[in-house]
């Protein structure tokens, strides 16, 4: 069950002009709760007074702002960039996340301008299924911009834990100056020169001869990937970044014969979401939910999502972005039917197995039952 805890900021490192890494100290008694897999993320919560309303909300798909008469609450998810702890050892004593400034974004502005060493932050226990269980073999990442953050943790954990594993990372950014975690990746390359292959593509800057430049779209990737690595031998592909890049990379991989089951995706930024097909909603419907061992049934108010109905009655229901991107609100659909507006978080196997995103689900039948504990 996801829970918020207060963690102290141990370091704020500026990565680029518009990004920082926050290191958080995990007290000993919380280390098990903050044990994480490589690729998971943390939701950070900020409460702001009414006077801060001008800050606006982060405009990525991974943020949420909930209003109230006494101000508002902003939740924003940030991927953990530090390696995951060994499953047989203690939980992590620190966690590091990467934060990139989003124009007009409430939380990222706060992180860039105000958060300092010694501050306490409200941090939710780790969540997310964009993860790797380290095993021997060849793995690859295709990332854009801040999409490097979880993949840095994935690559570092894999290479440190599996002496025969290899990782090929293809990253794209605008310019060298805007590229996050340059130093961390250079260190990783120094530690594992034979097993980490690193290719950087800059879209707005010429590079040295031999290195590709320009945008990484489906056509470019279809031509580039087979020349970089033996595509069919890759055991797992990790795609992370803006919606367009992830979608183009998935299409390129499918075109060159990679099965969908080997492709893992995490979207960081959704500009224009496809409009869902509308389905008639019943005049009255009821949501029954099980959460942290306790159940309840409540009527759905006009236009509400399943999450909104549950939250009115159980404020501890898990969520972060409310945008169908982070997957924190995942629940098992026990009975009834729902229409999901959009889903950028659940893999096809999860939806096939009956999981839904509560923040995107609207009842189609008069009774819907979900289980957040499964
Ligand atoms: S809260 Fe992020 S997907 Fe529902």
């Amino acid at each position: 069950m996801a829970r918020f805890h207060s963690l102290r900021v141990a370091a704020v490192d500026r990565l680029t002009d518009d990004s920082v890494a926050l290191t958080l100290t995990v007290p000993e008694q919380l280390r098990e709760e903050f044990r994480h897999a490589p690729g998971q993320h943390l939701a950070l919560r900020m409460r702001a007074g009414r006077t801060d309303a001008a800050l606006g909300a982060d405009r990525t798909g991974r943020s949420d702002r909930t209003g109230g008469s006494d101000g508002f609450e902003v939740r924003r998810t940030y991927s953990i960039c530090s390696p995951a702890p060994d499953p047989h050892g203690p939980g992590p004593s620190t966690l590091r996340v990467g934060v990139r400034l989003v124009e007009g974004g409430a939380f990222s502005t706060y992180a860039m301008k105000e958060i300092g060493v010694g501050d306490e932050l409200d941090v939710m226990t780790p969540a997310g299924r964009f993860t790797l269980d380290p095993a021997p073999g060849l793995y690859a990442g295709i990332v854009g911009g801040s999409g490097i953050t979880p993949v840095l943790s994935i690559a570092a954990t894999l290479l440190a834990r599996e002496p025969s594993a290899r990782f090929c990372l293809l990253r794209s950014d605008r310019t060298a100056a805007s590229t996050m975690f340059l130093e961390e990746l250079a260190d990783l390359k120094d530690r594992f020169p034979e097993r980490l292959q690193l290719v950087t593509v800059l879209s707005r800057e010429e590079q040295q001869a031999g290195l590709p430049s320009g945008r990484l779209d489906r056509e470019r990737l279809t031509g580039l990937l087979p020349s970089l690595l033996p595509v069919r031998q890759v055991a797992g592909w990790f795609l992370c970044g803006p919606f367009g890049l992830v979608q183009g990379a998935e299409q390129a991989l499918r075109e060159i014969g990679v099965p969908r089951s080997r492709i893992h995706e995490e979207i960081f930024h959704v500009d224009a979401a496809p409009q869902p097909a509308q389905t008639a909603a019943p005049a009255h419907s009821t949501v029954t939910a099980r959460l942290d061992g306790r159940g309840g049934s409540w009527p759905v108010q006009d236009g509400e999502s399943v999450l909104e109905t549950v939250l009115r009655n159980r404020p501890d229901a898990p969520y972060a972005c409310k945008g169908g991107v982070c997957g924190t609100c995942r629940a098992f659909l026990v009975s009834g039917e729902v229409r999901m507006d959009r889903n950028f978080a659940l893999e096809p196997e999860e939806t096939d197995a009956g999981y839904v995103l509560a923040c995107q689900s609207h009842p189609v039948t008069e009774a819907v039952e979900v289980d957040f504990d499964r």
Side-chain angles (χ1 to χ4, degrees):
M1 179 67 193
R3 280 199 177 77
F4 277 97
H5 293 284
S6 179
L7 300 186
R8 196 174 290 274
V9 177
V12 181
D13 301 310
R14 189 158 283 260
L15 301 172
T16 64
D17 281 354
D18 64 352
S19 64
V20 288
L22 303 177
T23 304
L24 307 165
T25 303
V26 186
E28 202 158 346
Q29 70 276 14
L30 292 178
R31 286 184 191 161
E32 272 317 300
E33 278 203 66
F34 280 97
R35 182 181 286 285
H36 62 95
Q40 284 196 301
H41 52 71
L42 302 172
L44 306 191
R45 181 169 67 182
M46 171 182 127
R47 294 178 204 280
R50 266 182 290 186
T51 50
D52 295 323
L55 277 173
D58 282 301
R59 283 184 293 184
T60 69
R62 299 178 90 211
S63 65
D64 174 61
R65 179 175 124 164
T66 306
S69 58
D70 54 349
F72 59 86
E73 175 187 308
V74 177
R75 293 185 182 195
R76 180 81 165 86
T77 54
Y78 292 105
S79 292
I80 302 169
C81 57
S82 40
D86 190 311
H88 307 295
S93 56
T94 58
L95 294 162
R96 196 170 188 234
V97 294
V99 179
R100 173 161 262 168
L101 182 68
V102 175
E103 202 190 327
F107 200 98
S108 55
T109 304
Y110 168 61
M112 290 290 296
K113 299 197 172 150
E114 291 183 40
I115 293 179
V117 172
D119 288 355
E120 299 265 349
L121 296 182
D122 274 353
V123 184
M124 195 191 274
T125 43
R129 280 160 302 284
F130 180 70
T131 58
L132 168 72
D133 191 8
L138 172 62
Y139 296 83
I142 303 174
V143 305
S146 55
I148 181 60
T149 317
V151 177
L152 176 60
S153 175
I154 287 173
T157 309
L158 174 78
L159 295 169
R161 258 194 234 162
E162 282 295 338
S164 64
R166 288 175 297 138
F167 199 91
C168 173
L169 176 62
L170 178 55
R171 72 180 307 193
S172 84
D173 222 303
R174 284 162 295 158
T175 63
S178 71
T179 303
M180 293 168 74
F181 299 115
L182 274 179
E183 245 177 68
E184 288 78 356
L185 273 167
D187 287 350
L188 204 59
K189 181 74 184 156
D190 282 349
R191 279 177 66 200
F192 306 106
E194 305 295 330
R195 297 196 285 127
L196 174 63
Q197 184 183 3
L198 192 54
V199 180
T200 303
V201 177
L202 299 177
S203 60
R204 298 202 194 148
E205 207 169 86
E206 286 300 317
Q207 297 193 86
Q208 292 160 353
L211 286 172
S213 59
R215 253 168 56 82
L216 266 193
D217 54 18
R218 180 177 60 84
E219 288 78 18
R220 296 227 30 231
L221 283 167
T222 312
L224 189 60
L225 288 170
S227 67
L228 283 178
L229 75 172
V231 168
R232 282 167 198 273
Q233 288 174 26
V234 177
W237 294 86
F238 291 84
L239 318 181
C240 188
F243 178 67
L245 175 126
V246 171
Q247 195 185 39
E250 184 197 321
Q251 287 168 351
L253 290 173
R254 299 302 302 274
E255 236 171 272
I256 47 187
V258 175
R260 180 66 185 80
S261 58
R262 292 196 189 173
I263 304 174
H264 310 278
E265 299 179 359
E266 182 149 274
I267 312 271
F268 266 18
H269 191 104
V270 183
D271 283 329
Q275 281 308 306
Q278 293 298 317
T279 320
H284 303 285
S285 49
T286 305
V287 167
T288 302
R290 184 171 181 79
L291 173 62
D292 213 9
R294 285 191 293 130
S297 287
W298 309 285
V300 177
Q301 292 183 356
D302 233 13
E304 270 184 342
S305 67
V306 169
L307 178 72
E308 285 165 334
T309 306
V310 178
L311 271 177
R312 266 194 301 108
N313 302 279
R314 290 285 304 268
D316 55 331
Y319 76 93
C321 74
K322 284 192 184 169
V325 177
C326 72
T328 311
C329 64
R330 185 181 94 141
F332 183 73
L333 183 64
V334 179
S335 62
E337 267 179 61
V338 297
R339 159 180 63 81
M340 266 209 284
D341 283 344
R342 57 188 210 168
N343 167 27
F344 298 109
L346 299 180
E347 299 281 349
E349 311 86 70
E350 294 176 280
T351 50
D352 289 351
Y355 287 95
V356 296
L357 295 174
C359 75
Q360 299 298 307
S361 295
H362 299 271
V364 171
T365 49
E366 288 188 353
V368 163
E369 184 177 350
V370 292
D371 187 343
F372 286 90
D373 294 344
R374 278 216 219 171

